[in-house]
Amino acid sequence: MALVETYKELIQEIMDYAEENKIPIMQQEGIIYLTNYIENNNIHSVLEIGTAIGFSAIMMALTKDDIHITSIEKDEERYMEALKNVKKLGLEDKITLLYKDALEVSLNNTYDCIFIDAAKSKNTEFFEKFSPKLNEHGTIITDNMKFHGYVDKDESEIKNRNLRGLVRKVKEYREFLKNNKKFETDFLDDIGDGIAVSRKREEK
Ligand code: SAH
Ligand code: MG
């Protein structure tokens, strides 16, 4: 984590920008878990769905020398801001940013880790689309599994119809992971906004 020290002020600027502009970057606890996981699990390539302004991509890129992050963002303004931030930290060689809708992108590479942090209603689609792009012994990590605590609430408590629909989607994704025959998932509900860590089951 020595690199993070070096870039402390620039990282703080990115976090301040996120707060001022209401950009939902990963929570402190979550980012610590994610970067530790990458440091300690022999991960050298990451595919991120949902760049926003590049905060999590940058934090992942700073974990070690031999790592590459490919990150997809569909919002032009955020993508441009992410480009600027990656340049500011001189991380162009370690981070590739794609300005695309993740559901429309086609990728040739495979990855050691896939980090899903985009539209919560589409998590199952992202998982199904990108899990074939995972290397053997790879991990898929999903953020916002608690959806700001809403998944623990009774449906009748959620008055807003759109919100209720989203919460239902997050719950369906949790069920999808629980019942997945190819992946075994740990639900780390106490970390940040809840993180799911899905590892490929050993083939028998
Ligand atoms: N990972 C970032 C935060 C991402 S916020 C961090 O922690 O720093 C979620 C982002 O996903 C938003 O910027 C949103 O525009 C983007 N997004 C949502 N749906 C998407 C899609 N289908 N394809 C690409 N990006 C998407
Ligand atoms: Mg998130």
Side-chain angles (χ1 to χ4, degrees):
M1 279 283 143
L3 281 171
V4 172
E5 243 350 87
T6 313
Y7 294 112
K8 214 170 165 189
E9 277 167 33
L10 291 174
I11 292 167
Q12 189 59 49
E13 280 174 27
I14 297 172
M15 290 167 75
D16 292 345
Y17 179 98
E19 190 167 340
E20 277 157 31
N21 294 279
K22 299 206 172 19
I23 292 160
I25 63 170
M26 206 182 195
Q27 296 179 13
Q28 185 83 358
E29 271 178 26
I31 202 76
I32 290 171
Y33 179 87
L34 181 66
T35 51
N36 281 337
Y37 192 92
I38 288 168
E39 267 189 290
N40 300 327
N41 286 278
N42 207 24
I43 288 166
H44 300 287
S45 55
V46 181
L47 172 67
E48 175 180 63
I49 318 299
T51 317
I53 58 170
F55 172 69
S56 51
I58 285 169
M59 295 303 282
M60 290 191 277
L62 293 176
T63 55
K64 48 179 132 175
D65 288 333
D66 51 345
I67 187 153
H68 191 272
I69 321 293
T70 301
S71 186
I72 311 173
E73 173 57 54
K74 69 170 185 180
D75 180 272
E76 186 176 11
E77 205 182 327
R78 290 184 179 179
Y79 162 77
M80 296 299 287
E81 190 64 28
L83 269 184
K84 216 164 77 187
N85 288 331
V86 167
K87 267 210 181 123
K88 224 194 264 182
L89 279 95
L91 292 171
E92 298 98 318
D93 291 345
K94 290 169 96 177
I95 302 177
T96 302
L97 298 175
L98 303 176
Y99 171 42
K100 294 247 165 64
D101 186 321
L103 292 173
E104 283 162 19
V105 82
S106 70
L107 301 166
N108 298 319
N109 291 333
T110 58
Y111 305 87
D112 296 332
C113 177
I114 297 173
F115 175 47
I116 302 176
D117 189 20
K120 295 163 196 69
S121 59
K122 304 240 166 76
N123 281 346
T124 308
E125 284 170 74
F126 293 137
F127 193 101
E128 303 221 83
K129 172 164 178 169
F130 295 109
S131 54
K133 297 284 170 191
L134 199 61
N135 289 334
E136 207 185 338
H137 307 298
T139 310
I140 300 183
I141 297 180
T142 312
D143 189 27
N144 304 107
M145 293 303 294
K146 299 239 305 180
F147 194 19
H148 317 295
Y150 283 114
V151 292
D152 295 329
K153 287 196 178 149
D154 197 81
E155 266 194 31
S156 62
E157 285 180 75
I158 304 165
K159 303 286 178 233
N160 181 293
R161 196 164 154 264
N162 281 337
L163 187 59
R164 209 159 51 226
L166 267 177
V167 173
R168 206 171 290 159
K169 284 278 189 183
V170 176
K171 285 183 178 167
E172 279 168 17
Y173 181 59
R174 293 178 72 99
E175 286 307 305
F176 163 81
L177 290 180
K178 270 182 206 159
N179 299 325
N180 200 299
K181 296 215 161 50
K182 290 192 195 132
F183 286 83
E184 169 130 43
T185 296
D186 288 330
F187 294 89
L188 308 177
D189 283 335
D190 295 330
I191 297 184
D193 191 26
I195 291 176
V197 180
S198 311
R199 295 182 188 87
K200 260 192 201 169
R201 292 181 195 274
E202 297 286 324
E203 306 224 359
K204 289 198 184 105

